[in-house]
Amino acid sequence: MTKDELKIVFMGTPDFAVASLRALVEGGYCVADVVTMPDKAVGRHGSVLQASAVKQYAVSAGLPVLQPERLRDESFIRELQALRADLQVVVAFRMLPEVIWDMPRFGTFNLHASLLPRYRGAAPINRAIMNGETETGVTTFFLAHGMDTGRIIRQRRLPVAETDDAGTVHDALMTMGATLVTETVDILIAEDGNVESIPQEAFCKDTGELPTAPKIFTETCRINWQQPTDHIYNFIRGLSPYPAAWTELIAPNGRRLSAKIFQTAKYLETHTLHPGSVRTDGKHFIDIATTDGFLRILSLQLSGKKRMPANDFLNGTKIDGAWRFE
């Protein structure tokens, strides 16, 4: 069987998945159908429907698209069965029921943005950087019962610099992942689906001790200044540029300004200030005290405003040491 004969159903939703779909299409693989989320209502009154990034690309490439509300819907399952796909490829999509992932004769594999079994879950890129990891990567694995627990097919590693944030790592893993997806499909074709895969327990017998990647919520992103500098620095870059770490800047009169912080520089030095206290010259820099030093804000965004450098913020908002972050 050749790559233009192997019938693939691709499942994904965000930009991260588009790179893999594009690699399959432009690589001459037979993508029979694309499954993605239903269009999302956006706008002030929810009156505008916005297609997912995967749907937008699929339509531009002339690919048929399925958008089930429920993955267990019988009519959707019948549509999938009628396609008689040899393989399903999943990138940044929802958890699939067994009736779907067990359907193709070559099975269903998923691309995950971590070195499994580390960082199973919805936010592996963010969580790895928030934890200060110096290495991450991508993994292809066969879907099975349990989130991100199936047998591993292939992995690729990516070093993470201290200056990287979730945005730069996302883009690097997106490109690396697209290459790994096509490599994995090639392996399955060459082995007629009988590829050797490795149980995740072979990487770590006690997976309960490994870091996980649970979903991130708004409250998850609030900065706690009562922590060491390195911890907060990693926390901020792990959430930058999206969904972004946030805090409140409190004026001497009690007025509160909500602000997202995207980029900082760290200074480890002894001081006697309370964590969250401000050190500034009022023109060029804003330092925020931590338990063992300071974080200098390089870029931030006030609620309802655009992202800006710290000195631009200081041009419009006069603050001094009587202000504090909380």
Side-chain angles (χ1 to χ4, degrees):
M1 178 177 287
T2 61
K3 65 182 181 181
D4 58 341
E5 294 173 328
L6 182 83
K7 188 179 286 188
I8 298 171
V9 169
F10 183 90
M11 301 183 182
T13 297
D15 286 330
F16 188 86
V18 173
S20 294
L21 177 57
R22 181 184 290 111
L24 291 170
V25 172
E26 295 181 358
Y29 298 83
C30 177
V31 180
D33 217 310
V34 172
V35 181
T36 190
M37 294 283 285
D39 294 356
K40 184 179 180 181
V42 296
R44 176 174 291 183
H45 304 292
S47 57
V48 178
L49 290 178
Q50 180 174 301
S52 72
V54 162
K55 179 182 177 180
Q56 292 177 44
Y57 174 77
V59 170
S60 72
L63 300 173
V65 178
L66 294 174
Q67 296 178 272
E69 291 283 351
R70 295 175 57 253
L71 295 176
R72 295 182 183 274
D73 184 86
E74 291 185 5
S75 62
F76 169 62
I77 293 173
R78 286 196 297 269
E79 285 183 283
L80 277 184
Q81 290 171 333
L83 292 171
R84 297 186 179 277
D86 300 299
L87 173 69
Q88 291 174 158
V89 177
V90 181
V91 183
F93 196 54
R94 297 142 70 183
M95 282 193 69
L96 300 180
E98 182 177 3
V99 67
I100 292 178
W101 56 254
D102 195 41
M103 195 179 294
R105 67 188 186 96
F106 280 15
T108 301
F109 78 79
N110 186 94
L111 174 72
H112 188 71
S114 82
L115 297 172
L116 289 174
R118 298 173 64 83
Y119 294 103
R120 293 170 175 165
I125 297 174
N126 301 101
R127 295 289 185 177
I129 301 172
M130 290 163 72
N131 287 346
E133 299 286 1
T134 58
E135 183 182 58
T136 185
V138 285
T139 303
T140 51
F141 68 98
F142 287 115
L143 289 190
H145 294 291
M147 179 179 284
D148 304 328
T149 58
R151 295 174 67 93
I152 290 173
I153 308 170
R154 290 291 186 274
Q155 288 186 332
R156 294 290 180 271
R157 296 177 179 271
L158 177 77
V160 179
E162 194 176 47
T163 53
D164 279 325
D165 61 21
T168 58
V169 173
H170 169 281
D171 292 351
L173 291 181
M174 179 173 64
T175 301
M176 180 181 284
T179 300
L180 187 59
V181 163
T182 57
E183 287 179 4
T184 302
V185 175
D186 289 343
I187 292 167
L188 287 165
I189 293 172
E191 301 295 332
D192 196 32
N194 298 314
V195 63
E196 182 179 355
S197 56
I198 304 171
Q200 294 190 25
E201 291 74 19
F203 290 80
C204 180
K205 291 183 179 180
D206 187 1
T207 56
E209 295 183 357
L210 294 172
T212 58
K215 186 176 180 179
I216 291 173
F217 299 94
T218 300
E219 194 54 39
T220 310
C221 302
R222 183 161 191 165
I223 301 169
N224 177 8
W225 298 104
Q226 307 257 4
Q227 292 180 320
T229 303
D230 280 335
H231 181 94
I232 305 173
Y233 176 80
N234 291 333
F235 183 85
I236 290 170
R237 68 191 185 97
L239 294 168
S240 178
Y242 182 82
W246 66 277
T247 186
E248 286 188 313
L249 177 58
I250 304 175
N253 63 5
R255 182 167 65 102
R256 291 175 176 261
L257 301 175
S258 180
K260 293 179 178 179
I261 299 181
F262 298 96
Q263 188 179 14
T264 62
K266 56 183 180 177
Y267 296 88
L268 299 177
E269 57 184 270
T270 303
H271 64 79
T272 58
L273 296 176
H274 188 273
S277 298
V278 169
R279 182 177 70 177
T280 180
D281 66 352
K283 295 181 180 181
H284 304 102
F285 70 87
I286 312 167
D287 293 345
I288 309 172
T290 67
T291 58
D292 63 352
F294 293 90
L295 279 176
R296 178 162 295 181
I297 297 177
L298 301 181
S299 67
L300 73 165
Q301 180 181 8
L302 294 180
S303 180
K305 305 291 185 180
K306 293 182 179 181
R307 178 174 172 173
M308 67 184 80
N311 61 324
D312 287 352
F313 166 73
L314 289 172
N315 287 335
T317 305
K318 301 303 178 184
I319 69 173
D320 56 31
W323 293 60
R324 73 181 192 278
F325 282 84
E326 186 177 282

